[in-house]
Structure formats: C-alpha cells, structure tokens
Amino acid sequence: MRESKNYLQDLNPAQREAVETLYGPLLVIAGAGSGKTKTLVCRMAHLVEKGIPPEKILLLTFTRRAAKEMIERASLLLKRDFHKVTGGTFHSLCHTMLRQYGTLIGYSPNFTLLDRTDAEDLFNLLKTSLGLSDNKKRFPKKDTLANLYSKTLNQEKSLEELLDSEYPQFLEFLPEIQRLFVEYKIYKKEHQLMDYDDLLLNWLEILKNYPQIRDEMGKRFHFIMVDEYQDTNTLQGEIIKYMASTHQNVMVVGDDSQSIYRFRGANYRNIFDFPKIFPQTKIIKLEQNYRSTQPILDLANVIIANSKIKYTKTLFTLKKEGAKPVLFRAKDEAETSKFVVDKILELREKGIKLSQIAVLFRSAYHSYELEVELAKRGIPFVKYGGLKLLESAHIKDLLAFLKIILNPRDFLSWNRVLLLMEGIGPRTAEKIIQTLKREALPTSLNRILGLSPSHELKRWLELYTTIKPYEEESPSEILQKIWYFYEPLFQRIYSEDYHRRVKDLEGLFSLVLKYKSLDEFVSDLLLEPLEITELEGETLDEDPLILSTIHSAKGLEWHTVFILSLIEGRFPSLYSLKNTDDLEEERRLFYVAVTRAREKLFLLSPLMVYLPGEGKTFAKPSRFLTELPKTLYEEVNYTTPEEKSSHIKPVTENYMNTHYSTELSSTSSFKIGDFVKHPHFGEGEVLEVMGEKIKVNFISKGPTILHLKYTQLERLL
C-alpha cells in the first residue's frame, strides 16, 4: 500500500464508502476477489486516523493469522503502532474472555480446553461408565455422539428433531443419549473442562445474563469488525448481537455465495438476518474483482445466478481479455491425470511456478490417481485438506502430557498418558485416576506407585513433580523434558512408522520456540490446529504444486486452477443430492473453486470412474456443468506430447474417430457394456444388442433403442 495520505484514493467508490462509514451497523457484501481484506485494513486505519484508540477496536476473522496480518498492514499504512487492536477468531476471543470472566459461571482461569478428539474420547468414557456400550443393539459411536451434541447447540434443534432428520436409526436410544449428554455437561463442569462449543456457549451465557459485562464490552470494544460473516454459526451471530448492543458500531463483511461450512455448523442465514437484528443496517456491495479475468468471472456469475437465496451481485473486472475456461472430458481418471500433468509441465516451461498452480477437488480421495502420476513424473506437491496435526496420535500423546502439567485435574489426559505405559491397562488406569481424584500429587505418589510396577509410570511421576510451568521454565524446555521421557514409548508404540511421524514432532519443536507461555502454546494448537502439510512444505527443494480440497483453498488464489471430478455423486457429492440446502452449498463450493483462478481455469469431467467392487462405471457430468452455456467455455480433447499435433485442440465432429480408434456402426461393432457417443444424444452405455438394433442408456436421455443402419455411434472404449 502507498503512504497514508493516498490510501483512500486507492479504493474504488464502493470500497471507499465502506471505509468511511464508521458509525452504525454496516453489512458489506464482498464478492470473490473484490478486495475485502484491503477494505477492512483501510477501515481499521481510517478509524485510528479519525482519533479512535486502537484498543477500542475488535477485529474477528476466520484465522488468527489473518487477523495478525491485517493489523500489521494497517500499522504499515499509517506508520503507527496497532498492537493494541484486539484481533483473532471467535473462539480465541471467547477463550480469552472466559479466562477473565469464567468465574461468574463457576470456571477457574486455568480450565482445560478439549479439542474434538478429546470430546469424542470423553463420550466414549462416559458411554462405558453408564453401561451404554453393552447394548446388544448398535449404539451411536463416539464421533456421531460428538456431532449430535454440537449440532444441538449450533443449529438450535432438539436432540429428537436431529435424530429424526439425520439419524433415525438411533431414535430408539433417545432417552439414553439425553442422559449421556447430561452426564457429559456435568463431567466437564466438575473437572474444569470446556470443548470448542462451550467457549461460545459460556461466553454467550455471560453476555446474556450479566448486563454489566455487556456494558463493559461496549466500552472496551467500541468498534467491531467481523470478516467472513457468512461462515459464522448461530452462537457467533448471537455473540455479535450482544457485544455490539450498546453502540451498534459493527461492520460485518462476507459473501453469501461463498458460504461453504454448513457441515461445521455455519449458518449462512446469519448474513441475511443481520439487517433484521440491526434495523438501521447500511448495505454496500463490492462487485469489482481484482483477481480473475472476465471470462472466468462470466462463468462464475452464471454458476451463482442459479442459487435460490442470494444477495444479487455481478462480478466485473477491468481485465476484459483472457482465455476461456477449458472443459476436458477424459475417458477416465488415468487420462485426466496425464492431461493435467502435461498441462502443468507446459505451464512450468512458460515460466509459471508450480506454486502458482493448484489442483482442487471436492474430497481428498479424488486426487489419488493424480498423485501417482505426479510422483511418476517427479513433480513435487503438497496436499491440503488432509490430516490435521492434532488428529495424529503421537501429537495427541505429547499434548496430553502438556495438558496435565497445566491442569492436574484433566483426568481425560491422565487416562491417555497412563494407557501409553507398559503394564497399565484400563482398570489400573482407572484406579490411579480415582486415587488422584481423592488426593493430588505429590501426596499420593507412593499410593499410585503401589498400584502398578510399571517402570515408565515411576519415571513419569518423578518427572511430573519437577516441572513448573508457571515459573522459570520455557515451553520449549518443558517440551524437551517431555520428549526425553516420551521418546522410548513413541518408538515402541509406533514402531512401524515412527521415522515418518518424527517429522511432525520436528515441526512442533520449531513452533514452540515462538512462545513464552506453555498455556498460550497449548491453547493456540487447540484453537487453530495446523495441517501436517503446513509443517512439511518448508522442507521441499522446489516450490511445490498445490493439491487441495476446495474447503482448504478458500481465500487463496493461483494463476491456474484445475478442478477435478466434476461428475454427479462426486461434485455435487452423493449425500447432497437428497437435500436442497446441501445441494445449494455444493453450488457455492463450485463457485468458490472457480473464483480461485486468476488467468486459466480447467474443468475436468471423466467419462468413467473406478468404484471399488464395481470396476469402471459410467459417470454423469456434474449438473453444474450442464447448466453452463457452451459459449462460456471451450471444450477440448487431448493428445499426448509425443504426438505431433498440439496438446489441446478444439473438439470436432471427427474427434472420436481420430483419437479413440472408433468403428463405424455395425452389428458386430458393439457389445453390452461398451461406452459410446451419439452425435445428438451424447455419451451412453450399451445395454443390449438386438441384431440391427441397439439399446443405449444415454446420460441426457436415458435408455433408447436405435437402428444401427440409420445411426452413427462412436465407441469410446
């Protein structure tokens, strides 16, 4: 950005209006690539320039990293210190507030935060203690129970409603599940534990029930800005209502067309309800796109125009020229992979870095075939949207040790730690925990050692009593001590692949050096878990190609984007076909994928896919493709680099004859199971051959009988 006196001149009229509207409720509908971050940064700077103290500003974003970057940019803009601006996620804000005000509802400042896996483990523990796992009939698993519990809070539905609509097979267990949920709440309160939902729920409870805290928040944060408002859930929307109630100086920025986290509890209707909660709301739309060429935006506009509920907007750009998006219908995923890799190599030869190219997909498994081809050709890549760092068992182990040090009454972590040790099973672990509940360490040391002869337990208890987390030891020193104890256990438990797992630990040791407080380090890991690839990516020699689920790609952009598996049942996903709201979210997901591309966009839709147990199966093109006017994209075929013709050439009437060695229609040409193409009906599968007639199941038309003498069919395989 330029020097401060010019920053307003850098804005387009809609952005400038949003920046200069300082008081009252403001809703900014920010289309993809429309400079919403720049708008937020400039508005923060403008507030301070107009005399608002930085400590009076609260900035809530989707990640704490994003908040930190925005605050730094605003600071550079005015060449002033902005470190007193409070920035972070809803969960990090609530976590901080509850450490300060949690005593009002019975929590001490050093409560332990449970991540999702911890919550699932606690459900399992309680399920066993209540005898619910002994049912002859199948009782819900721990992940299903955690899902149900979270949804009852975030979606404001009763347990019975949720079971009826999503898990009817468990309706018979309604009383047992209700009892389990009650026990879950009691256990957390007794043991000073909070899960992710509790952070929101408990802070909201304080805001609702303590008017003096609302007043205090209004004075403390006189200006509130919220990014990615379309991804907030019902509880977060309520928190904003109460925190802004005394002054209503709240600006929320979002794009209803990019709401893609319903599965996490996000309520995209929040963005439509905001003007109802704050009736004086001013609405500003940012429609000028600074990322993509107009041909890409034309495609995106048509995709989202079919959305049933939306704030109508049309993206436009000054970059009018550019290549049309490309649609390639390969015969199968193997050919798709060869096409994608050849195009990537071609782009690299033209000077486009691999890191400026992304291959996006709906689900992580859609890229497996491509990953094999990339490895074969020696192309480095990283994959996002896979395993989170905290989903790894060995990281969970280390974290359990650290949690015990911070909160000795975290008996869930005690249980995990004890079961790692040789000679200690569930019964002994339970006896040790009961002893710890009655009498804490070090007083109970001898009694605990008397319950088990485990040498590892003795070593751990001796170490535990020497660690002082709130005194002179740094988080790095504490982690090193824990590692020294844990390493032999780690090598024994994960003997098959501990060399691979140790890479994650190296990343963790690098990360902890940035922290002065162990509590802050553990809280950060739990509040915003890293993906394993975020630690691995730094070790590659060359900037890698990006493979990513679309959910993990949100907010990012690349020169060239490939979108895989645009077929029914994959994109849109199979489960979404049964529910209108889910299908609408799939459409928004496609819109997000398309708008990640700056210059080039490739849409891949194979004719056949491999399904386990079924072999190769005919694939129907995604409905999102069939809705698109053919004038908006170029459909191409593919030839190998060894062939003299160009890599890509437009589809012609004779394409199938030249590429797939097809034959003229005759009674001897076809057999049941062949995949064929008709000049008018398109692709289909042969169901029956009846002399001079043939029955074909066409994607566009369904089963059709044709006379071979009067039709021309081209065999694809």
Side-chain angles (χ1 to χ4, degrees):
M1 289 188 177
R2 301 176 192 173
E3 57 194 50
S4 71
K5 65 180 180 180
N6 287 328
Y7 74 87
L8 290 176
Q9 296 169 21
D10 289 341
L11 304 170
N12 66 42
Q15 289 174 327
R16 184 158 184 167
E17 186 183 3
V19 166
E20 294 183 323
T21 304
L22 300 184
Y23 294 91
L26 173 62
L27 170 60
V28 178
I29 303 297
S34 61
K36 73 175 176 65
T37 302
K38 182 178 182 179
T39 304
L40 281 163
V41 168
C42 289
R43 189 173 186 272
M44 202 186 327
H46 197 56
L47 281 166
V48 173
E49 197 169 46
K50 289 293 181 182
I52 305 301
E55 59 268 26
K56 296 282 187 183
I57 300 171
L58 171 63
L59 172 66
L60 294 172
T61 59
F62 208 57
T63 65
R64 288 204 286 176
R65 187 187 304 171
K68 185 181 177 185
E69 287 173 0
M70 286 187 205
I71 292 167
E72 285 174 355
R73 283 176 61 179
S75 177
L76 289 170
L77 201 61
L78 290 190
K79 297 180 174 61
R80 286 182 58 175
D81 186 1
F82 273 61
H83 81 275
K84 288 186 178 179
V85 171
T86 298
T89 64
F90 274 91
H91 287 89
S92 65
L93 169 74
C94 295
H95 181 259
T96 302
M97 294 296 109
L98 287 166
R99 295 283 184 203
Q100 190 173 344
Y101 298 103
T103 50
L104 292 170
I105 54 171
Y107 278 93
S108 69
N110 70 329
F111 64 83
T112 293
L113 184 58
L114 302 176
D115 68 13
R116 179 51 183 263
T117 312
D118 294 330
E120 291 177 4
D121 289 345
L122 180 51
F123 272 117
N124 231 20
L125 193 70
L126 294 172
K127 191 169 76 166
T128 303
S129 68
L130 292 171
L132 297 174
S133 55
D134 298 331
N135 278 297
K136 291 180 181 177
K137 293 186 179 179
R138 193 173 176 188
F139 195 77
K141 291 182 178 177
K142 61 180 183 179
D143 56 335
T144 303
L145 290 166
N147 268 333
L148 274 169
Y149 182 79
S150 185
K151 285 181 178 182
T152 58
L153 301 177
N154 288 304
Q155 295 184 15
E156 294 184 322
K157 288 183 181 178
S158 71
L159 176 59
E160 188 170 5
E161 284 176 308
L162 278 168
L163 287 174
D164 189 50
S165 61
E166 297 185 36
Y167 302 93
Q169 70 273 30
F170 298 132
L171 263 171
E172 62 179 299
F173 296 118
L174 176 62
E176 290 94 335
I177 297 172
Q178 285 173 328
R179 182 183 166 206
L180 183 59
F181 284 2
V182 169
E183 291 296 325
Y184 179 68
K185 290 178 187 175
I186 292 170
Y187 187 97
K188 286 186 295 178
K189 195 68 175 278
E190 282 181 352
H191 297 88
Q192 295 290 296
L193 307 172
M194 287 194 208
D195 60 28
Y196 290 145
D197 291 318
D198 290 328
L199 292 177
L200 303 177
L201 199 66
N202 290 336
W203 177 233
L204 181 57
E205 182 186 338
I206 290 172
L207 289 172
K208 277 183 176 179
N209 297 332
Y210 293 88
Q212 69 272 28
I213 302 298
R214 289 203 298 273
D215 292 341
E216 194 175 322
M217 288 300 106
K219 291 171 186 171
R220 183 169 173 177
F221 303 120
H222 201 61
F223 292 87
I224 299 173
M225 295 192 289
V226 186
D227 192 15
E228 306 283 16
Y229 194 69
Q230 77 282 349
D231 292 326
T232 54
N233 62 30
T234 304
L235 295 174
Q236 291 163 335
E238 286 272 290
I239 286 169
I240 289 300
K241 180 177 81 172
Y242 284 104
M243 289 194 70
S245 62
T246 61
H247 51 67
Q248 298 206 355
N249 297 326
V250 55
M251 171 203 200
V252 300
V253 182
D255 182 4
D256 52 296
S257 301
Q258 295 187 71
S259 179
I260 59 172
Y261 293 108
R262 188 166 173 265
F263 69 98
R264 288 185 190 166
N267 181 3
Y268 83 103
R269 293 184 185 275
N270 277 2
I271 204 165
F272 297 102
D273 291 340
F274 185 81
K276 298 173 189 173
I277 296 169
F278 299 100
Q280 304 302 312
T281 296
K282 181 178 186 179
I283 299 176
I284 298 171
K285 294 180 184 178
L286 305 184
E287 298 175 287
Q288 184 172 349
N289 180 283
Y290 293 91
R291 177 187 299 155
S292 309
T293 60
Q294 194 62 51
I296 291 171
L297 296 181
D298 289 341
L299 192 84
N301 286 331
V302 170
I303 291 166
I304 213 63
N306 290 313
S307 190
K308 290 181 170 51
I309 302 174
K310 61 183 179 295
Y311 283 106
T312 301
K313 59 185 172 299
T314 304
L315 298 179
F316 68 92
T317 180
L318 300 180
K319 296 192 285 185
K320 302 297 180 187
E321 301 301 318
K324 278 187 179 183
V326 169
L327 170 63
F328 175 56
R329 295 217 66 207
K331 64 181 180 182
D332 55 22
E333 290 173 285
E335 188 175 76
T336 298
S337 300
K338 288 184 174 68
F339 172 83
V340 170
V341 173
D342 283 339
K343 286 306 300 173
I344 288 167
L345 292 172
E346 184 183 312
L347 287 162
R348 188 166 68 170
E349 285 173 13
K350 291 179 179 177
I352 308 299
K353 290 183 177 180
L354 289 177
S355 56
Q356 281 301 306
I357 304 170
V359 183
L360 306 182
F361 30 85
R362 173 64 183 83
S363 298
Y365 76 92
H366 294 169
S367 67
Y368 289 169
E369 185 97 35
L370 176 64
E371 290 172 48
V372 171
E373 187 68 21
L374 288 167
K376 194 189 298 181
R377 307 269 201 109
I379 297 175
F381 66 89
V382 291
K383 184 175 180 179
Y384 294 92
L387 192 66
K388 293 282 186 188
L389 193 64
L390 287 191
E391 290 169 4
S392 307
H394 51 297
I395 300 294
K396 292 283 294 175
D397 294 345
L398 269 181
L399 201 59
F401 286 106
L402 298 178
K403 283 171 152 186
I404 289 169
I405 288 163
L406 291 170
N407 178 9
R409 295 193 63 75
D410 182 354
F411 298 119
L412 198 62
S413 292
W414 269 108
N415 190 61
R416 184 182 189 99
V417 161
L418 291 169
L419 291 176
L420 294 173
M421 299 175 189
E422 274 193 311
I424 298 181
R427 288 184 183 178
T428 306
E430 178 60 23
K431 287 178 185 176
I432 293 171
I433 288 169
Q434 290 305 322
T435 305
L436 285 168
K437 284 181 179 179
R438 290 191 300 270
E439 196 175 4
L441 286 166
T443 338
S444 60
L445 182 62
N446 289 331
R447 269 180 291 284
I448 289 172
L449 289 173
L451 291 170
S452 170
S454 170
H455 174 65
E456 290 173 346
L457 175 63
K458 185 173 184 292
R459 282 183 59 226
W460 160 241
L461 293 177
E462 286 171 354
L463 174 64
Y464 170 76
T465 52
T466 67
I467 296 175
K468 312 292 181 191
Y470 298 108
E471 295 179 16
E472 67 282 354
E473 284 185 296
S474 71
S476 176
E477 288 169 333
I478 293 171
L479 189 60
Q480 287 288 353
K481 281 185 176 181
I482 298 291
W483 171 243
Y484 179 72
F485 165 77
Y486 174 65
E487 187 177 15
L489 282 70
F490 169 70
Q491 292 188 2
R492 168 174 56 78
I493 296 165
Y494 306 108
S495 57
E496 291 185 5
D497 63 348
Y498 76 88
H499 288 296
R500 178 183 61 79
R501 289 174 183 263
V502 84
K503 288 182 183 177
D504 308 335
L505 299 173
E506 288 168 3
L508 203 65
F509 281 112
S510 173
L511 196 64
V512 76
L513 293 172
K514 301 174 184 177
Y515 290 85
K516 294 179 181 176
S517 154
L518 183 64
D519 186 27
E520 189 184 353
F521 171 63
V522 171
S523 296
D524 277 10
L525 271 180
L526 291 167
L527 286 167
E528 212 163 300
L530 293 168
E531 287 189 0
I532 287 174
T533 39
E534 290 181 68
L535 296 176
E536 288 177 348
E538 300 173 5
T539 63
L540 295 167
D541 295 331
E542 180 182 1
D543 284 347
L545 171 76
I546 308 299
L547 306 187
S548 177
T549 61
I550 300 163
H551 285 102
S552 293
K554 188 171 176 291
L556 304 175
E557 60 181 74
W558 294 273
H559 175 279
T560 299
V561 168
F562 296 84
I563 305 175
L564 293 182
S565 287
L566 280 159
I567 57 176
E568 289 289 288
R570 283 196 177 177
F571 202 175
S573 63
L574 191 60
Y575 78 87
S576 71
L577 304 180
K578 300 172 185 175
N579 182 293
T580 303
D581 286 342
D582 287 335
L583 191 57
E584 283 295 291
E585 179 149 306
E586 294 289 300
R587 182 186 306 284
R588 297 193 293 269
L589 196 60
F590 184 38
Y591 174 83
V592 167
V594 164
T595 53
R596 300 309 94 200
R598 292 200 301 265
E599 303 284 341
K600 292 182 182 294
L601 174 66
F602 293 88
L603 310 172
L604 294 311
S605 179
L607 290 165
M608 280 163 286
V609 293
Y610 179 84
L611 296 177
E614 295 184 32
K616 287 200 171 179
T617 304
F618 201 82
K620 189 176 181 180
S622 168
R623 66 191 63 199
F624 304 141
L625 289 180
T626 57
E627 290 171 357
L628 296 172
K630 292 188 176 180
T631 53
L632 293 181
Y633 60 84
E634 179 186 7
E635 188 170 357
V636 302
N637 70 45
Y638 166 64
T639 56
T640 63
E642 289 77 20
E643 295 178 289
K644 292 181 180 178
S645 53
S646 64
H647 284 270
I648 296 180
K649 56 187 178 184
V651 168
T652 65
E653 289 295 319
N654 295 322
Y655 161 60
M656 292 297 176
N657 290 326
T658 59
H659 184 54
Y660 285 120
S661 303
T662 56
E663 303 169 37
L664 293 174
S665 304
S666 73
T667 55
S668 61
S669 297
F670 304 103
K671 63 182 182 299
I672 294 170
D674 281 350
F675 294 97
V676 297
K677 183 174 182 180
H678 186 276
H680 179 65
F681 301 135
E683 296 95 355
E685 181 181 4
V686 175
L687 297 179
E688 197 174 349
V689 180
M690 307 166 286
E692 292 188 338
K693 293 182 180 178
I694 190 169
K695 189 176 185 180
V696 180
N697 185 19
F698 290 107
I699 293 173
S700 61
K701 192 174 184 293
T704 306
I705 295 175
L706 302 170
H707 199 296
L708 287 167
K709 190 174 181 182
Y710 304 109
T711 191
Q712 182 173 353
L713 285 178
E714 301 163 336
R715 188 168 65 190
L716 303 183
L717 275 184

